[in-house]
Amino acid sequence: MVSKSGEVKQLDYCKPMESSKEIELTKTLIKYKAVKPNEINSCMDFCSAWLQEHGMNVEVLENEGLKIIVANLPNKNKSLPKVILNGHIDVVPGGEGVFQPRIEDGKLYGRGSYDMLGAVATMMLVMSDLTKRDNLKYNVSLVLVPDEEKGGENGSKFLVENGYLADFVICGEPTNYNISIQAKGVLQLKITVKGRSAHASRPWQGDNAIEKAMEVYRKIKNLPCFQETNTFFPKESFNLSTIIGGGVINQVPDVCSFDLDIRLLPEQNPEEIYNLIKSEVQGAEITLLKMGVPVLVDEDNIFVNQLKTIANKVTKKDIHFIGQYGTADTRFYSEYGVSAVEFGPAGAGHHGPDEFVYVQSLINYRKILNDFLLHSRRETL
Ligand SMILES: [Zn+2]
């Protein structure tokens, strides 16, 4: 920009670079359109070759037809504490356009740019950076999983069940640099209530199953444990998801069933809550559909504090500890007592048509992870 006096003015807004290793690698991953198993596996093949070319020892596992990658540094030292960087390759479906990545105003648009191929690409670059260092403070592995968006059972769950554990795990989910140290537990139930059918004109001769089910529903919803909240979760998550009952209009319904999706506070024990419901509710059949443990990492945990300090320093932002209402692969590690957090770059619109990640945030993310992995927990920064 040239002012009236003819001198060149410094622009306040520095146009971010249009090309960097982070951008190029993220774009490449987006174009794989990793939705279906064959697309996911093709992307895994690319990542495996890339990691080997950049000096990693790569193990490719296969479970239920899906590939999983575990990459280790060649200079790994087994006596050091172990840190896992965990990234999922799969993305949710979208129109063709979202698989054509583009840069606009410092943002990299495309499916998975924010959730979480930008983080995956950056983690791959971090691993490559670490192969050049000999002052490692951790034994670092990168694991790339194929099915987080579908529940993670074939990827991260399979890995933890086969002993791929660590002292600390970072899942690169989109968190805008905040560190998610809590996630709600899950309790999904089917409740079936039986009654007795009769002609609708004489309802007293029957026993209305839908009305009985409504009473059961209110009884469960009003239990004190479902009114509780905490600092991270100011809202309760109790959802009546489906209801099936009745057949024809002139009949008293003899059966009614409904599904509940309940998300529990991290300090609540899903097993105990399930038993409480069974003991409080009489005259209904309760079927357990799913039980998932919460994530609860201590705010004083030395790893998360180190990560927070470094993220603050690199981004010059106020980084917060946060809680997630939904679940991620952190829960599988949590089940084995491993401290696992969600921590990823900044962007918006994940799972939507305008998903993007800030290019600068990928560059910051790389610096944060590098700094974190090159400083021991006791070092002052
Ligand atoms: Zn994700």
Side-chain angles (χ1 to χ4, degrees):
M1 184 185 288
V2 180
S3 70
K4 278 179 190 161
S5 61
E7 65 200 356
V8 176
K9 272 175 127 184
Q10 184 69 43
L11 288 171
D12 290 335
Y13 171 68
C14 290
K15 200 174 174 200
M17 63 184 91
E18 295 286 311
S19 182
S20 70
K21 282 184 180 171
E22 290 85 351
I23 295 172
E24 291 317 310
L25 198 48
T26 307
K27 278 181 165 179
T28 303
L29 297 180
I30 290 171
K31 287 179 194 163
Y32 275 94
K33 194 186 166 192
V35 177
K36 296 182 189 142
N38 61 324
E39 297 159 341
I40 293 166
N41 285 345
S42 297
C43 189
M44 286 289 187
D45 288 340
F46 165 80
C47 294
S48 160
W50 191 99
L51 289 162
Q52 284 181 63
E53 277 164 27
H54 289 77
M56 253 65 67
N57 296 326
V58 179
E59 189 183 353
V60 182
L61 307 165
E62 200 164 327
N63 180 38
E64 299 293 328
L66 291 166
K67 291 185 179 177
I68 303 167
I69 287 176
V70 180
N72 289 303
L73 296 171
N75 44 351
K76 81 172 180 184
N77 177 347
K78 283 188 179 169
S79 63
L80 294 172
K82 183 164 186 186
V83 173
I84 287 179
L85 304 177
N86 176 304
H88 67 82
I89 289 294
D90 59 317
V91 294
V92 294
E96 273 309 311
V98 299
F99 295 101
Q100 304 301 322
R102 67 178 206 281
I103 304 272
E104 219 176 284
D105 295 333
K107 299 168 191 165
L108 170 52
Y109 285 86
R111 170 63 77 245
S113 54
Y114 183 40
D115 182 13
M116 56 173 278
L117 299 176
V120 167
T122 310
M123 285 172 165
M124 289 165 72
L125 289 163
V126 167
M127 291 298 280
S128 166
D129 296 338
L130 294 178
T131 59
K132 296 163 197 122
R133 307 298 291 249
D134 51 12
N135 55 338
L136 296 180
K137 298 295 192 295
Y138 299 108
N139 177 12
V140 188
S141 294
L142 170 67
V143 307
L144 298 179
V145 292
D147 69 335
E148 194 277 340
E149 297 291 1
K150 289 205 167 78
E153 267 82 8
N154 290 323
S156 291
K157 184 172 188 231
F158 174 80
L159 286 174
V160 298
E161 284 174 351
N162 284 282
Y164 291 86
L165 300 169
D167 297 286
F168 186 58
V169 178
I170 298 174
C171 292
E173 295 290 356
T175 62
N176 298 333
Y177 304 124
N178 291 313
I179 302 168
S180 172
I181 57 170
Q182 292 196 9
K184 284 193 161 186
V186 184
L187 192 57
Q188 292 177 338
L189 304 171
K190 179 176 282 300
I191 317 280
T192 305
V193 180
K194 301 249 172 74
R196 196 175 59 253
S197 61
H199 194 282
S201 63
R202 294 177 183 80
W204 61 88
Q205 292 177 349
D207 187 13
N208 192 310
I210 294 179
E211 287 187 2
K212 280 168 78 180
M214 285 161 65
E215 280 169 30
V216 170
Y217 167 71
R218 287 206 186 89
K219 176 138 198 186
I220 299 174
K221 188 175 165 64
N222 290 331
L223 287 172
C225 59
F226 298 132
Q227 320 311 316
E228 290 172 22
T229 58
N230 76 12
T231 334
F232 288 102
F233 301 104
K235 302 217 182 275
E236 66 271 19
S237 311
F238 188 100
N239 191 55
L240 173 59
S241 307
T242 69
I243 180 160
I244 299 168
V248 290
I249 196 166
N250 59 352
Q251 189 180 40
V252 174
D254 64 347
V255 64
C256 178
S257 68
F258 59 92
D259 292 344
L260 295 176
D261 185 335
I262 310 166
R263 305 302 170 105
L264 304 169
L265 291 175
E267 49 270 29
Q268 294 177 326
N269 181 321
E271 185 102 39
E272 280 174 18
I273 303 277
Y274 175 51
N275 288 332
L276 175 76
I277 294 172
K278 284 198 293 186
S279 69
E280 289 287 324
V281 175
Q282 312 299 328
E285 190 183 305
I286 301 171
T287 311
L288 178 66
L289 302 178
K290 187 176 182 178
M291 187 185 281
V293 299
V295 174
L296 184 57
V297 177
D298 196 342
E299 282 190 56
D300 296 330
N301 179 293
I302 200 154
F303 290 103
V304 298
N305 278 288
Q306 180 85 332
L307 187 59
K308 189 179 182 200
T309 307
I310 292 169
N312 268 323
K313 205 169 164 186
V314 171
T315 62
K316 298 183 180 62
K317 289 182 195 302
D318 202 8
I319 305 301
H320 300 282
F321 289 139
I322 57 168
Q324 303 284 30
Y325 282 88
T327 59
D329 279 358
T330 44
R331 70 196 161 109
F332 299 120
Y333 294 100
S334 182
E335 212 164 336
Y336 281 76
V338 173
S339 301
V341 299
E342 292 173 53
F343 172 68
H350 57 318
H351 295 204
D354 298 315
E355 176 175 357
F356 72 86
V357 68
Y358 287 103
V359 170
Q360 184 60 46
S361 91
L362 296 182
I363 293 159
N364 290 346
Y365 192 56
R366 183 171 173 183
K367 178 150 180 47
I368 294 166
L369 292 182
N370 266 318
D371 285 0
F372 174 74
L373 295 167
L374 289 168
H375 287 93
S376 81
R377 289 162 294 167
R378 283 178 198 81
E379 275 176 75
T380 356
L381 295 161

